Amino acid sequence: MTSSSPQTSAFSKHTQEQIQQPSTTSTTNDENPYGQMSLSARLLVFLLVPSATGLIGLFSSFLQSTRTPPEGQEPHTIDLDRDFMTPFLLGLAFVIVIGFQTGGFRFAGGMTAMERKFALSWPKAKRVRKVRRERVIVEDEDGDLDDDTKKDR
C-alpha cells in the first residue's frame, strides 16, 4: 500500500459519516434564525467594508505623500478619486458579488424554499480506482515463452 492510503481511508470514512448524518439545514426562517440578515446588518456591511477599503487607500496615499521624493521627481499628491473612490467602488463591488453568491439578497417573503449557497464549495468525494496491469511471462516445459498479454488483445 502507498503512504496516502490511510489519509484516503480517513477521508472516505468522513464522507460516509457525513452522508449518514441527518440533514440539519432548515428551509424556513422560523427554524433558522441566522438564515436571513437584518436590514441594518446589510446596511452596515454595505457601508463598512467599502468605506474601510477607501480609508485604507487614502491612508496609504497619505503615507506615500509624507515621504520625500528623490531629486528630479514630483512629490506625491493625494487624489480623492484615485486614492479613496477606486478602493471604495472595488469594495462595494466585492460586497455585491459576495451577496449574490451567497444568496443574501433574497427577501423573507419570496424564495424561502431555497437553501443558502456559500461562496466557496467543497469538492465532492470521488472514488479513484487504480488499474494495475502486469505483464506475466510464463515459460512452458518446452522452453517456449508464452506471453499472457496476447490473450487480452
Side-chain angles (χ1 to χ4, degrees):
M1 292 209 155
T2 62
S3 62
S4 66
S5 64
Q7 292 174 351
T8 56
S9 64
F11 182 69
S12 63
K13 286 179 187 176
H14 175 69
T15 54
Q16 288 174 357
E17 289 173 4
Q18 215 172 23
I19 290 170
Q20 291 174 357
Q21 287 180 350
S23 177
T24 58
T25 59
S26 62
T27 57
T28 62
N29 289 336
D30 297 335
E31 295 173 9
N32 190 1
Y34 302 109
Q36 193 73 16
M37 286 177 55
S38 67
L39 182 63
S40 59
R42 286 184 194 172
L43 288 176
L44 275 175
V45 167
F46 269 90
L47 291 176
L48 209 82
V49 172
S51 297
T53 56
L55 288 174
I56 289 171
L58 192 63
F59 183 69
S60 66
S61 178
F62 170 73
L63 288 179
Q64 191 174 4
S65 69
T66 59
R67 293 191 318 185
T68 56
E71 289 186 29
Q73 288 186 356
E74 295 179 13
H76 180 75
T77 58
I78 297 176
D79 184 16
L80 190 65
D81 283 338
R82 179 188 65 211
D83 301 327
F84 180 79
M85 289 305 292
T86 303
F88 178 86
L89 291 175
L90 287 173
L92 186 64
F94 176 74
V95 168
I96 290 172
V97 166
I98 294 297
F100 277 119
Q101 287 282 328
T102 58
F105 295 122
R106 286 183 278 142
F107 296 106
M111 299 176 77
T112 56
M114 292 177 59
E115 291 183 12
R116 177 169 286 225
K117 294 179 184 176
F118 295 103
L120 299 173
S121 61
W122 193 257
K124 303 287 184 192
K126 293 182 181 179
R127 287 190 177 195
V128 178
R129 293 184 182 176
K130 289 188 177 181
V131 179
R132 188 172 153 187
R133 297 183 185 212
E134 294 181 355
R135 185 174 178 184
V136 179
I137 300 175
V138 180
E139 188 175 332
D140 287 343
E141 295 172 4
D142 299 337
D144 295 332
L145 294 177
D146 247 356
D147 194 356
D148 285 345
T149 57
K150 291 180 184 176
K151 296 176 186 175
D152 294 338
R153 291 183 190 170

